[in-house]
mmCIF file with all atom_site columns, all heavy atoms in Angstrom:
data_model
loop_
_atom_site.group_PDB
_atom_site.id
_atom_site.type_symbol
_atom_site.label_atom_id
_atom_site.label_alt_id
_atom_site.label_comp_id
_atom_site.label_asym_id
_atom_site.label_entity_id
_atom_site.label_seq_id
_atom_site.pdbx_PDB_ins_code
_atom_site.Cartn_x
_atom_site.Cartn_y
_atom_site.Cartn_z
_atom_site.occupancy
_atom_site.B_iso_or_equiv
_atom_site.pdbx_formal_charge
_atom_site.auth_seq_id
_atom_site.auth_comp_id
_atom_site.auth_asym_id
_atom_site.auth_atom_id
_atom_site.pdbx_PDB_model_num
ATOM 1  N N   . GLN R 1 82 ? -7.611  21.374 -31.773 1.00 0.00 ? 90 GLN R N   1
ATOM 2  C CA  . GLN R 1 82 ? -7.843  21.894 -33.121 1.00 0.00 ? 90 GLN R CA  1
ATOM 3  C C   . GLN R 1 82 ? -9.007  21.167 -33.805 1.00 0.00 ? 90 GLN R C   1
ATOM 4  O O   . GLN R 1 82 ? -9.790  21.789 -34.533 1.00 0.00 ? 90 GLN R O   1
ATOM 5  C CB  . GLN R 1 82 ? -6.577  21.764 -33.979 1.00 0.00 ? 90 GLN R CB  1
ATOM 6  C CG  . GLN R 1 82 ? -5.462  22.726 -33.601 1.00 0.00 ? 90 GLN R CG  1
ATOM 7  C CD  . GLN R 1 82 ? -4.783  22.364 -32.275 1.00 0.00 ? 90 GLN R CD  1
ATOM 8  O OE1 . GLN R 1 82 ? -4.715  21.180 -31.915 1.00 0.00 ? 90 GLN R OE1 1
ATOM 9  N NE2 . GLN R 1 82 ? -4.298  23.354 -31.552 1.00 0.00 ? 90 GLN R NE2 1
ATOM 10 N N   . LYS R 1 83 ? -9.123  19.878 -33.562 1.00 0.00 ? 91 LYS R N   1
ATOM 11 C CA  . LYS R 1 83 ? -10.222 19.119 -34.163 1.00 0.00 ? 91 LYS R CA  1
ATOM 12 C C   . LYS R 1 83 ? -11.564 19.570 -33.593 1.00 0.00 ? 91 LYS R C   1
ATOM 13 O O   . LYS R 1 83 ? -12.537 19.729 -34.334 1.00 0.00 ? 91 LYS R O   1
ATOM 14 C CB  . LYS R 1 83 ? -10.027 17.620 -33.934 1.00 0.00 ? 91 LYS R CB  1
ATOM 15 C CG  . LYS R 1 83 ? -11.068 16.756 -34.634 1.00 0.00 ? 91 LYS R CG  1
ATOM 16 C CD  . LYS R 1 83 ? -10.744 15.278 -34.475 1.00 0.00 ? 91 LYS R CD  1
ATOM 17 C CE  . LYS R 1 83 ? -11.752 14.408 -35.212 1.00 0.00 ? 91 LYS R CE  1
ATOM 18 N NZ  . LYS R 1 83 ? -11.455 12.957 -35.078 1.00 0.00 ? 91 LYS R NZ  1
ATOM 19 N N   . THR R 1 84 ? -11.624 19.785 -32.285 1.00 0.00 ? 92 THR R N   1
ATOM 20 C CA  . THR R 1 84 ? -12.858 20.254 -31.667 1.00 0.00 ? 92 THR R CA  1
ATOM 21 C C   . THR R 1 84 ? -13.248 21.622 -32.209 1.00 0.00 ? 92 THR R C   1
ATOM 22 O O   . THR R 1 84 ? -14.419 21.868 -32.541 1.00 0.00 ? 92 THR R O   1
ATOM 23 C CB  . THR R 1 84 ? -12.707 20.314 -30.134 1.00 0.00 ? 92 THR R CB  1
ATOM 24 O OG1 . THR R 1 84 ? -12.555 18.987 -29.627 1.00 0.00 ? 92 THR R OG1 1
ATOM 25 C CG2 . THR R 1 84 ? -13.926 20.958 -29.484 1.00 0.00 ? 92 THR R CG2 1
ATOM 26 N N   . ILE R 1 85 ? -12.296 22.516 -32.322 1.00 0.00 ? 93 ILE R N   1
ATOM 27 C CA  . ILE R 1 85 ? -12.574 23.855 -32.856 1.00 0.00 ? 93 ILE R CA  1
ATOM 28 C C   . ILE R 1 85 ? -13.039 23.755 -34.304 1.00 0.00 ? 93 ILE R C   1
ATOM 29 O O   . ILE R 1 85 ? -13.980 24.454 -34.730 1.00 0.00 ? 93 ILE R O   1
ATOM 30 C CB  . ILE R 1 85 ? -11.337 24.755 -32.716 1.00 0.00 ? 93 ILE R CB  1
ATOM 31 C CG1 . ILE R 1 85 ? -11.107 25.095 -31.247 1.00 0.00 ? 93 ILE R CG1 1
ATOM 32 C CG2 . ILE R 1 85 ? -11.494 26.034 -33.540 1.00 0.00 ? 93 ILE R CG2 1
ATOM 33 C CD1 . ILE R 1 85 ? -9.841  25.862 -30.973 1.00 0.00 ? 93 ILE R CD1 1
ATOM 34 N N   . ALA R 1 86 ? -12.411 22.868 -35.081 1.00 0.00 ? 94 ALA R N   1
ATOM 35 C CA  . ALA R 1 86 ? -12.810 22.681 -36.482 1.00 0.00 ? 94 ALA R CA  1
ATOM 36 C C   . ALA R 1 86 ? -14.230 22.144 -36.575 1.00 0.00 ? 94 ALA R C   1
ATOM 37 O O   . ALA R 1 86 ? -15.040 22.622 -37.383 1.00 0.00 ? 94 ALA R O   1
ATOM 38 C CB  . ALA R 1 86 ? -11.833 21.731 -37.176 1.00 0.00 ? 94 ALA R CB  1
ATOM 39 N N   . GLN R 1 87 ? -14.563 21.151 -35.743 1.00 0.00 ? 95 GLN R N   1
ATOM 40 C CA  . GLN R 1 87 ? -15.913 20.596 -35.746 1.00 0.00 ? 95 GLN R CA  1
ATOM 41 C C   . GLN R 1 87 ? -16.944 21.665 -35.384 1.00 0.00 ? 95 GLN R C   1
ATOM 42 O O   . GLN R 1 87 ? -17.995 21.777 -36.031 1.00 0.00 ? 95 GLN R O   1
ATOM 43 C CB  . GLN R 1 87 ? -15.995 19.434 -34.750 1.00 0.00 ? 95 GLN R CB  1
ATOM 44 C CG  . GLN R 1 87 ? -15.240 18.196 -35.170 1.00 0.00 ? 95 GLN R CG  1
ATOM 45 C CD  . GLN R 1 87 ? -15.189 17.151 -34.061 1.00 0.00 ? 95 GLN R CD  1
ATOM 46 O OE1 . GLN R 1 87 ? -15.139 17.487 -32.887 1.00 0.00 ? 95 GLN R OE1 1
ATOM 47 N NE2 . GLN R 1 87 ? -15.201 15.888 -34.438 1.00 0.00 ? 95 GLN R NE2 1
ATOM 48 N N   . LEU R 1 88 ? -16.636 22.439 -34.354 1.00 0.00 ? 96 LEU R N   1
ATOM 49 C CA  . LEU R 1 88 ? -17.567 23.468 -33.904 1.00 0.00 ? 96 LEU R CA  1
ATOM 50 C C   . LEU R 1 88 ? -17.747 24.545 -34.972 1.00 0.00 ? 96 LEU R C   1
ATOM 51 O O   . LEU R 1 88 ? -18.863 25.024 -35.216 1.00 0.00 ? 96 LEU R O   1
ATOM 52 C CB  . LEU R 1 88 ? -17.052 24.083 -32.599 1.00 0.00 ? 96 LEU R CB  1
ATOM 53 C CG  . LEU R 1 88 ? -18.006 24.973 -31.810 1.00 0.00 ? 96 LEU R CG  1
ATOM 54 C CD1 . LEU R 1 88 ? -19.279 24.231 -31.433 1.00 0.00 ? 96 LEU R CD1 1
ATOM 55 C CD2 . LEU R 1 88 ? -17.321 25.511 -30.552 1.00 0.00 ? 96 LEU R CD2 1
#
Side-chain angles (χ1 to χ4, degrees):
Q90 288 72 30
K91 185 175 182 180
T92 294
I93 289 174
Q95 290 172 327
L96 192 58

